[in-house]
């Protein structure tokens, strides 16, 4: 789980080529980060960036896992990730016909945390909670803007909350 703290997952990033190299993927990530306004990220800050196949095959491009050398760089990217909505395909060097409407950045979660987040989101929908998110190896739920934040580290925590 410790090594996941250095990673982000980029969803919806178009493919450059059928056989995209890790260097091409890293440079595409850099271009994305610069368009997001994080200008002080360089290729030396990225350990590796590569595509990971989806568990559920679709016509969308595979997600990119980008591993950073320092967590401080990752935190800068995560802090400005809301600006990703304003990025166009042309800004990334693609034609305007390319769809980037699903472009987003998330914390890269372990399979256990992905399952916990999935279950927490199901609980959120079933119980009219407004917020559900993952951060720093934990899952959080919040009923409304003014309600307390509930933190879950494992399924036992979530099950105890749902039961009580």
């Amino acid at each position: 789980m410790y090594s996941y703290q250095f990673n982000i997952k980029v969803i919806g990033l178009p493919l450059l080529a059928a056989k995209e190299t890790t260097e091409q993927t890293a440079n595409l990530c850099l271009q994305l980060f610069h368009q997001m306004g994080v200008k002080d990220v360089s290729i030396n800050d990225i350990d590796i960036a590569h595509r990971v196949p989806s568990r559920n095959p679709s016509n969308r491009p595979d997600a990119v896992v980008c591993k950073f050398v320092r967590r401080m760089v990752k935190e800068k990217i995560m802090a400005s990730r809301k600006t990703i909505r304003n990025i166009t395909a042309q800004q990334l060097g693609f034609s305007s016909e390319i769809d980037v409407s699903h472009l987003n950045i998330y914390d890269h979660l372990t399979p256990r945390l992905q399952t916990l987040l999935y279950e927490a989101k199901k609980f959120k929908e079933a119980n009219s909670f407004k917020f559900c998110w993952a951060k720093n190896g934990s899952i959080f739920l919040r009923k409304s803007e003014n309600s307390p934040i509930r933190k879950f580290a494992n399924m036992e925590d979530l099950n105890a909350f749902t039961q009580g």
Side-chain angles (χ1 to χ4, degrees), residues 112 115-116 119-120 153-160:
R112 180 187 62 81
T115 302
L116 181 58
E119 293 299 326
N154 52 49
M155 282 301 291
E156 291 77 27
D157 294 346
L158 181 62
N159 289 336

Side-chain angles (χ1 to χ4, degrees), residues 112-127 129 131-133 138-142 149-164:
R112 180 187 62 81
L113 280 177
Q114 285 179 340
T115 302
L116 181 58
L117 180 62
Y118 174 76
E119 293 299 326
K121 283 185 175 184
K122 281 187 358 188
F123 177 83
K124 171 191 162 234
E125 295 302 320
N127 295 281
F129 273 62
F131 306 102
C132 181
W133 70 96
S138 295
I139 306 300
F140 299 89
L141 275 169
R142 192 172 197 184
I149 296 172
R150 307 289 182 179
K151 179 180 177 181
F152 307 97
N154 52 49
M155 282 301 291
E156 291 77 27
D157 294 346
L158 181 62
N159 289 336
F161 180 70
T162 60
Q163 308 281 311

Side-chain angles (χ1 to χ4, degrees), residues 12-139:
L13 193 61
L15 279 165
L16 281 174
K19 292 283 186 184
E20 191 175 87
T21 67
T22 55
E23 185 176 353
Q24 288 173 316
T25 307
N27 284 320
L28 185 57
C29 286
L30 277 178
Q31 194 170 356
L32 173 64
F33 304 150
H34 291 168
Q35 292 299 324
M36 290 169 53
V38 185
K39 305 280 187 197
D40 58 343
V41 179
S42 75
I43 196 72
N44 296 326
D45 293 319
I46 297 175
D47 183 16
I48 188 133
H50 59 90
R51 301 272 176 178
V52 290
S54 172
R55 285 190 240 175
N56 304 321
S58 70
N59 59 349
R60 294 187 183 157
D62 288 341
V64 173
V65 171
C66 185
K67 181 177 184 178
F68 294 99
V69 177
R70 298 175 297 135
R71 283 196 324 234
M72 292 185 312
V73 175
K74 176 202 171 191
E75 294 306 320
K76 283 182 186 178
I77 302 297
M78 294 303 287
S80 64
R81 71 184 182 159
K82 288 184 179 177
T83 62
I84 205 167
R85 295 181 198 133
N86 305 324
I87 294 175
T88 65
Q90 296 92 324
Q91 289 173 304
L92 297 174
F94 296 100
S95 72
S96 59
E97 291 84 39
I98 300 293
D99 180 23
V100 293
S101 63
H102 299 287
L103 192 58
N104 217 329
I105 294 179
Y106 301 99
D107 273 323
H108 186 213
L109 302 177
T110 64
R112 180 187 62 81
L113 280 177
Q114 285 179 340
T115 302
L116 181 58
L117 180 62
Y118 174 76
E119 293 299 326
K121 283 185 175 184
K122 281 187 358 188
F123 177 83
K124 171 191 162 234
E125 295 302 320
N127 295 281
S128 303
F129 273 62
K130 191 168 183 184
F131 306 102
C132 181
W133 70 96
K135 186 172 185 178
N136 297 332
S138 295
I139 306 300

